[in-house]
Amino acid sequence: MPVPVPRQRAIPAVESGQAPAATPSGPSTEEGSRTEKTAGKKAGKKTGSTPGTTHANLNLLLIEDDPGGSTIVPDLRDSSGTPIRVRTARNLTEAERLLTDDVHCILLDLALPAPGRTGDDELAVLKHVLKLAPRHAVLALTASGDAERGAEAVRVGAQDYLFRDELDSRLLSRAILYAVERKRSDTAERRLAEGRMRAQENRRLERGLLPTPLLDGSPLRFAARYRPGRQRALLGGDFYDTVRTPDGTVHAMIGDVCGHGPDEAALGVELRIAWRALTLAGLCGDELLGTLQQVLEHERADDEIFATLCTVDIAPDGRRAGLCLAGHPSPLIARAGKPARLLPYDNNGPALGLLPGARWPRMQVELGREWSLMLYTDGLIEGRVGEGRERLGQDGMVELVRRQIAAGLSGEELLRATVNEVRDLNGGELTDDVAVVLLDRRR
């Protein structure tokens, strides 16, 4: 009779760190020595426990044709003398019913027939149990002298194997404890490896968010700062880019996808790459933003997701620029001998993804001979000032940047000091992502 497909289970007790410490003592038999050699690491304590507290009982699921015949099983105890609770199943259908999340280890008789077994696969029953309980420790029982089959069981995925006819309760208790700890160690190593892979993927994604500017041949100086809002995060929904086209025009943009996390970051990467490709193809202004909105509408996971964007295209002589705002804060400009101020934002268009068929007017801006232009996301202005609810806002940011410039800061130093002061005023790390781009023209 086929065994039903197992449902998705919560993390079992062994994986969540609730198995008791494995601290066996005394001389060991041959099997005990083999078990100790393969133990992953010294046993840990139950999560959240304090010295002197009692660990939870170990729970064993025995799967055997005639569990009543195993006289050693009812008298199992852990290293502290606490009885190991035993559940028995005569077949895999019963085992699935008894395999709840508080089971720490499975003791499986390899001689048990497997449902739907075909051919000469002697480990079919073990493979079935491993699929049924991928996060539980498994001990394989085999006949005395059948070490080859036991070793193959370990290779397939069991934590250890034991000879059925040579067992005693002490040896089995020790083997269960070590199997639980080895499974926990294996799980920790797997999670560590998965974490490393995610970190590598995040770094690749981060490179997509934070590109190298293409400014060869331009006299403009470029600087940027990026800080994700989530604790310990590498990525956020903010993105930026800067390129110089063959006619000498320098194009810069900065954007913000609503929300935080890898999904928003991935969408930000797509929008940035699309912006660079469209810009190098000759699009700008309303035509470019309209195309980006189409990209956003096709790629977003939810119709409520939108993105704000600010684009500037600086003429080859560096004295003029076109500005388009799609629901984004206006850039800040600082000219020699004049206080920093915000560029006009009266014709600010809607954020991308909000209004089908929207338009984004392009404003002409006079820059002058020497200037610094700062593009930023709203994470820079939405931090709090002190312990109250007051926000820094654009006016507060402008005053802050004026003080930094008056102190003689520019380029990377100006951005670093600005972001650090905003964070200090907030009383700690900012909750929103922050991206800042600075372009300088000096003669």
Side-chain angles (χ1 to χ4, degrees), residues 123-145:
L123 297 178
V125 66
L126 172 62
K127 294 175 182 178
H128 188 94
V129 169
L130 291 175
K131 290 181 180 180
L132 188 68
R135 293 176 292 190
H136 289 75
V138 177
L139 284 171
L141 276 177
T142 188
S144 298

Side-chain angles (χ1 to χ4, degrees), residues 120-304:
D120 297 327
D121 189 354
E122 296 182 346
L123 297 178
V125 66
L126 172 62
K127 294 175 182 178
H128 188 94
V129 169
L130 291 175
K131 290 181 180 180
L132 188 68
R135 293 176 292 190
H136 289 75
V138 177
L139 284 171
L141 276 177
T142 188
S144 298
D146 197 1
E148 183 177 349
R149 187 179 185 187
E152 181 67 10
V154 173
R155 189 192 67 79
V156 168
Q159 272 58 61
D160 204 348
Y161 70 92
L162 302 168
F163 294 136
R164 186 186 305 105
D165 300 334
E166 298 179 9
L167 281 180
D168 57 46
S169 60
R170 182 172 173 272
L171 173 61
L172 181 55
S173 297
R174 289 164 58 88
I176 291 170
L177 292 172
Y178 278 118
V180 167
E181 291 305 326
R182 279 198 302 276
K183 187 63 178 181
R184 181 189 294 175
S185 176
D186 292 344
T187 299
E189 291 179 5
R190 174 176 53 79
R191 287 180 173 175
L192 180 60
E194 291 173 352
R196 288 170 177 166
M197 291 182 62
R198 284 194 297 269
Q200 292 174 355
E201 293 172 355
N202 283 349
R203 282 192 291 270
R204 287 194 292 269
L205 192 55
E206 188 176 32
R207 287 195 296 270
L209 278 171
L210 314 179
T212 302
L214 299 179
L215 289 175
D216 292 344
S218 172
L220 301 184
R221 296 186 303 176
F222 171 89
R225 295 286 290 178
Y226 177 82
R227 184 190 297 270
R230 296 173 298 133
Q231 186 178 9
R232 298 188 304 274
L234 296 172
L235 303 165
D238 294 2
F239 55 98
Y240 62 82
D241 203 353
T242 306
V243 299
R244 180 176 183 266
T245 49
D247 64 355
T249 302
V250 172
H251 303 260
M253 72 88 167
I254 195 165
D256 182 2
V257 177
C258 67
H260 311 277
D263 291 338
E264 289 76 13
L267 182 55
V269 170
E270 292 181 90
L271 293 175
R272 185 201 66 76
I273 293 174
W275 177 87
R276 176 175 281 201
L278 294 170
T279 298
L280 293 175
L283 275 67
C284 69
D286 183 73
E287 186 179 11
L288 185 149
L289 291 174
T291 307
L292 284 179
Q293 174 157 283
Q294 294 181 41
V295 174
L296 172 66
E297 291 171 346
H298 284 290
E299 298 297 331
R300 63 186 176 185
D302 190 290
D303 289 343
E304 295 183 358

